[in-house]
Amino acid sequence: MHVAAALLSVTLLAGCGGKTATTVAEEGAGAPKPAVAPTSTAGAPKPAVAPTSTEGEYTGACPTEGNAKPFAKTRFALHAGLALGAFHRYIYRPLRSGGFQAGAEKRKRTFVKAAVAGAFALHEMRVAKGFAAANPRLCKAVEGVTGHFSNLTDRLKSGTATPADLDASKSSMDALQGDATKTGFPFKEQKVTIPGAA
C-alpha cells in the first residue's frame, strides 16, 4: 500500500519546562497549516511556543566551519529527539510486538502508520543535520542515520520491511545518540503524536 509523501512541520519549543508531548500536523497541497502546540503534563509549567516552525531540511554537505545558527544544540536535540520518538512509537515497538509479521492483525495498517512515521523521522533528521553541521563527526553520523531512514521508509511504503531493516535503523540511531553525547550534542527521545499514524 502506497503512502503519499507528506510535508510535515513541527512546533519549536523555546525554553525548558516539564515533559511534553508534541503533536505534529500534516500539511496538504494548499497553504501550510500551523502545528498543534505541545501540551504540558499536569503540574509542569507550559513552555513557550513559536507559532509555526520555519525549520527547513538541510541537504547540503557537512561543512567544516562553525555553525552560526542560534541555539544549535537545543534545536538539534529537539529534532533528533522527535525522530527517535516517532521511530520507537510507530515503527520499532510495533515490530517487536509482531505487527509486521504475515498474518498479523491490521498488518497493512501497521505498515501505513509506520511509513508515515518513517517519513516524519526522515524529515526531522534532515532538519537536525542543519544544526549538527558545526561538528563534522556528528554531521556525518546524522547523514548515516538519514540514509537508514530513507531506505526503511521506502521499504515500509512497499510493505517489504523486515526485522533486519528495523534493527539496522535502531543501531544507527543508537550510534548517533552515542556520538551526539560524546560531541556535546546529547538528545533524548521526545513523545510525539503524528496525525495519520496515531
Side-chain angles (χ1 to χ4, degrees):
M1 192 168 192
H2 249 72
V3 176
L7 296 175
L8 302 169
S9 64
V10 297
T11 303
L12 284 178
L13 302 176
C16 297
K19 294 182 179 179
T20 60
T22 303
T23 301
V24 180
E26 290 185 74
E27 295 179 355
K33 298 175 185 175
V36 177
T39 54
S40 299
T41 54
K46 189 172 183 179
V49 178
T52 304
S53 171
T54 57
E55 305 294 302
E57 293 183 0
Y58 180 82
T59 56
C62 292
T64 56
E65 296 179 6
N67 190 336
K69 293 184 179 179
F71 306 107
K73 289 184 180 183
T74 302
R75 293 158 85 186
F76 168 81
L78 171 65
H79 292 287
L82 288 170
L84 180 60
F87 173 69
H88 278 159
R89 178 175 180 183
Y90 297 105
I91 303 172
Y92 193 73
R93 290 182 189 130
L95 164 76
R96 286 293 161 221
S97 65
F100 293 132
Q101 294 176 357
E105 185 179 350
K106 300 180 182 177
R107 181 175 184 263
K108 287 184 180 179
R109 183 168 183 224
T110 301
F111 265 102
V112 170
K113 289 167 65 173
V116 171
F120 171 77
L122 181 59
H123 167 77
E124 290 304 307
M125 290 312 303
R126 287 176 175 156
V127 173
K129 181 183 175 187
F131 298 111
N135 187 304
R137 176 180 170 182
L138 184 59
C139 188
K140 291 290 185 186
V142 173
E143 281 184 337
V145 173
T146 302
H148 279 287
F149 275 112
S150 181
N151 291 335
L152 176 63
T153 301
D154 288 343
R155 288 180 167 270
L156 288 167
K157 286 178 181 178
S158 65
T160 60
T162 65
D165 296 324
L166 278 95
D167 285 340
S169 293
K170 183 179 186 311
S171 294
S172 69
M173 184 60 89
D174 290 346
L176 174 62
Q177 273 193 293
D179 282 343
T181 299
K182 289 175 188 173
T183 55
F185 281 71
F187 68 95
K188 295 180 180 178
E189 178 178 342
Q190 299 288 323
K191 292 182 180 178
V192 62
T193 298
I194 304 172

